[in-house]
Amino acid sequence: MERYTIDDFGFESIIEESHGHWESRQRGLKKGWFVVNSSSIFTQLIRVAGRICGMHADDLFICWKPIDTALRDMSYHGGKYLFGFREDGVDNADYVLGRLNSSGREWSETRVKELYLLEIQVSRAKEQPDDMEICMYFGRAHLLEDMDGQEARYREQGTPVPGLPRLKGERHERLVCRSG
C-alpha cells in the first residue's frame, strides 16, 4: 500500500489568501508574532464545520491550536495543514494521513466529506533576517495523483495549472511569498 504524506496533497483552488509580517515586541526583538489576518480563513473553516459536522465540530479549535502557536514563534518557517471534515468531526493531517495509510483511499472517499489545505509560507529578507513576510493560502485539497488529463498536460508543458497553484515539486508564481 502506498504511504501518503502531506506533500501528496495540493489545491483544487484557492479560496482565501492573506499576507502579513513579523512584528517584534518593544521589549525584545525575538519576542513577537506574525501579524496576518487569518479570520477569513478561520471563518471558512467554521462554516464548513457547521455545515458538515453533526458532532465534534469544535475539533476545529484543536486543529487550529498548533497554527496559532507557530504564528508566535520567530523561528517558524511555514508549513502545510490538512483539515478533513466528517459527520463525526474535524480531523487534522496526522489523523487523515494515518487513516488513509492504514485503511486506504476508500476510507477517505467514503468518510471525509470535504478536505481543505492551508499552506503557510514565511520569507526572510537576506539583509535583515528579522524582516519576515508571511503568506497564507487556503482552499479545497486533493491528492496530486488524482490530477486529470488537462492538469497533466499543463504540468508536462511546465506552465502553471489554472486553479491549482501548487504541484508536487514546483511552485506557481502566485504562491511565492516575497519580501518587499
Side-chain angles (χ1 to χ4, degrees):
M1 181 183 295
E2 183 172 350
R3 301 284 304 166
Y4 294 100
T5 69
I6 197 161
D7 291 325
D8 292 315
F9 290 87
F11 291 103
E12 272 181 24
S13 62
I14 291 180
I15 299 169
E16 296 286 340
E17 67 180 77
S18 187
H19 304 270
H21 63 278
W22 176 261
E23 189 171 291
S24 296
R25 289 187 190 161
Q26 299 249 339
R27 295 187 182 157
L29 291 176
K30 301 295 181 199
K31 299 281 186 191
W33 54 88
F34 283 100
V35 178
V36 59
N37 187 350
S38 58
S39 64
S40 61
I41 293 169
F42 200 61
T43 297
Q44 291 289 336
L45 289 165
I46 290 169
R47 287 180 179 151
V48 174
R51 184 170 37 83
I52 292 175
C53 301
M55 60 180 126
H56 305 295
D58 60 331
D59 290 349
L60 176 59
F61 294 100
I62 296 168
C63 295
W64 191 263
K65 182 68 175 159
I67 298 165
D68 187 54
T69 301
L71 294 177
R72 298 172 193 286
D73 181 356
M74 186 177 193
S75 65
Y76 180 61
H77 293 281
K80 291 174 77 173
Y81 304 87
L82 280 176
F83 299 87
F85 291 87
R86 299 178 295 121
E87 291 176 8
D88 296 338
V90 183
D91 302 322
N92 65 13
D94 290 339
Y95 188 86
V96 170
L97 291 169
R99 291 293 186 166
L100 183 61
N101 288 324
S102 66
S103 303
R105 291 185 59 165
E106 182 180 327
W107 174 83
S108 66
E109 291 167 357
T110 58
R111 301 293 308 267
V112 177
K113 302 299 180 196
E114 292 183 20
L115 188 63
Y116 289 84
L117 177 67
L118 174 65
E119 183 169 345
I120 302 174
Q121 298 176 0
V122 175
S123 65
R124 288 168 165 72
K126 291 179 184 172
E127 309 81 39
Q128 298 177 329
D130 292 348
D131 184 15
M132 296 178 281
E133 181 182 351
I134 186 168
C135 303
M136 301 175 95
Y137 301 94
F138 174 76
R140 292 287 298 259
H142 70 143
L143 279 167
L144 293 174
E145 69 184 28
D146 292 342
M147 294 187 317
D148 65 22
Q150 180 183 8
E151 291 171 347
R153 281 192 303 279
Y154 278 104
R155 189 173 181 184
E156 287 169 10
Q157 296 168 358
T159 57
V161 178
L164 184 65
R166 180 173 164 79
L167 296 176
K168 201 173 199 174
E170 63 187 20
R171 295 188 107 43
H172 184 288
E173 185 169 300
R174 178 177 177 209
L175 242 173
V176 176
C177 188
R178 296 187 182 119
S179 291

